[in-house]
């Protein structure tokens, strides 16, 4: 992938599959003062989603980050549960934040994929390449800048593709690891050994039941500002390994 960077060209040899990876790369081709991110699986997308996120930043210069919140109906075989969506947030993330980062419980949808922020702030953030991106950003924003520059915007109702239990399991693993690693970094806990990258998923066959280990990468992309102020050679960071990026 060849990306323009400060008048020169940078070649990224390593590439990862993941939401955080895509958002990180988007910085290199966005030159607007405000960057707005919207999940691509929304079924009832409306331009008001953009206005609801960007508008507060235009009207309130003291704000730097706007997070969406909304009601999330859950469609299932028996009909629609009007408030049944956001299962990982309800079952995993909110209890975990209550224990480790209670100040972040003020965000109604901490894992919402819709947000807007000022470009100079985005350039200061590191990016886990996978599902940990949203919670990592909230924790780092609170740690470095506090919550006084953040706000929430009510976008009404959001309908999107619901993921399978297997997909939600992988998501929960990545979120849990990202949160625990930052809690250790912030002095809230200490682990006796490195957390595993292996998610031990249950695999059910027609006549069998087995454990299927899956490697879910914990690589994090460095802040844009760090790249632009350094040489053309830098590294993608990982708690266990580092892979060189030119």
């Amino acid at each position: 992938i060849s990306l323009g960077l400060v008048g020169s060209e940078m070649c990224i040899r390593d590439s990862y599959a993941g939401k955080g990876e895509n958002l990180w790369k988007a910085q290199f081709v966005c030159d607007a003062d405000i960057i707005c991110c919207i999940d691509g699986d929304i079924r009832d997308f409306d331009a008001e989603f953009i206005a609801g996120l960007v508008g507060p930043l235009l009207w309130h210069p003291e704000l730097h980050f706007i997070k969406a919140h909304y009601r999330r109906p859950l469609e299932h075989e028996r009909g629609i549960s009007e408030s049944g969506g956001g299962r990982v947030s309800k079952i995993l993330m909110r209890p975990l934040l209550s224990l480790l980062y209670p100040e972040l419980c003020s965000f109604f949808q901490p894992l919402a994929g819709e947000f807007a922020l000022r470009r100079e702030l985005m350039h200061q953030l590191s990016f886990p390449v996978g599902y940990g991106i949203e919670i990592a950003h909230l924790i780092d924003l609170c740690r470095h800048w506090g919550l006084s520059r953040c706000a929430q915007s009510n976008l009404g109702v959001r309908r999107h593709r619901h993921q399978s239990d297997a997909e939600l399991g992988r998501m929960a693993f990545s979120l849990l690891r990202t949160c625990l690693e930052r809690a250790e970094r912030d002095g809230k806990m200490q682990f006796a050994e490195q957390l595993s990258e292996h998610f031990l998923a249950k695999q059910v066959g027609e006549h069998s039941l087995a454990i299927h280990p899956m490697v879910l990468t914990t690589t994090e992309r460095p802040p844009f500002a760090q790249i632009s102020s350094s040489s053309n050679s830098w590294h993608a960071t990982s708690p266990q390994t580092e892979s060189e990026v030119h």
Side-chain angles (χ1 to χ4, degrees):
I1 298 174
S2 185
L3 299 171
L5 175 64
V6 196
S8 62
E9 187 176 85
M10 179 182 65
C11 181
I12 302 176
R13 292 182 178 175
D14 292 346
S15 189
Y16 301 92
K19 181 177 184 178
E21 174 81 348
N22 295 334
L23 291 177
W24 179 79
K25 288 176 179 175
Q27 297 177 97
F28 296 91
V29 292
C30 292
D31 58 2
D33 294 330
I34 294 174
I35 297 175
C36 183
C37 301
I38 302 288
D39 274 352
D41 62 349
I42 298 177
R43 294 179 178 175
D44 51 355
F45 175 79
D46 190 280
E48 291 184 359
F49 282 23
I50 307 295
L53 293 168
V54 174
L57 295 177
L58 296 175
W59 284 98
H60 299 279
E62 73 278 8
L63 295 177
H64 285 228
F65 179 84
I66 307 297
K67 187 80 161 176
H69 74 90
Y70 31 65
R71 182 165 53 84
R72 298 184 63 179
L74 175 65
E75 299 178 5
H76 48 78
E77 58 185 14
R78 296 184 302 276
I80 298 177
S81 173
E82 289 300 328
S83 60
R87 290 164 287 171
V88 174
S89 287
K90 294 174 182 177
I91 296 172
L92 173 69
M93 214 65 253
R94 189 159 293 279
L96 189 61
L97 292 178
S98 297
L99 292 172
L100 298 176
Y101 294 98
E103 63 276 15
L104 295 182
C105 288
S106 60
F107 286 95
F108 300 126
Q109 295 279 357
L111 302 183
E114 294 73 37
F115 60 92
L117 72 172
R118 301 192 188 278
R119 182 175 55 172
E120 62 268 24
L121 174 59
M122 191 175 192
H123 286 182
Q124 302 298 320
L125 297 170
S126 61
F127 282 69
V129 299
Y131 284 120
I133 181 68
E134 281 94 7
I135 195 59
H137 280 180
L138 285 188
I139 293 173
D140 293 347
L141 281 167
C142 181
R143 180 182 187 228
H144 295 293
W145 297 280
L147 297 181
S148 61
R149 298 182 180 182
C150 304
Q152 300 178 77
S153 181
N154 187 349
L155 300 186
V157 179
R158 179 184 184 276
R159 294 179 175 85
H160 66 112
R161 178 185 67 86
H162 293 290
Q163 301 194 66
S164 67
D165 290 347
E167 291 174 316
L168 292 180
R170 294 191 291 272
M171 178 190 295
F173 178 89
S174 296
L175 289 167
L176 183 58
R177 180 177 173 126
T178 298
C179 193
L180 291 179
E181 285 176 344
R182 276 163 166 74
E184 184 176 38
R185 177 201 67 185
D186 296 341
K188 296 178 178 291
M189 60 174 60
Q190 184 174 1
F191 294 104
E193 58 186 34
Q194 188 73 44
L195 294 176
S196 174
E197 284 188 327
H198 291 83
F199 173 48
L200 305 180
K202 182 177 68 173
Q203 190 173 50
V204 180
E206 185 176 356
H207 302 292
S208 64
L209 182 63
I211 299 300
H212 177 58
M214 304 175 63
V215 177
L216 300 180
T217 181
T218 58
T219 298
E220 292 199 16
R221 293 296 199 179
F224 179 97
Q226 177 183 323
I227 300 169
S228 60
S229 63
S230 65
S231 65
N232 288 330
S233 181
W234 46 277
H235 292 75
T237 61
S238 168
Q240 291 183 326
T241 62
E242 292 187 346
S243 54
E244 188 172 1
V245 181
H246 296 282

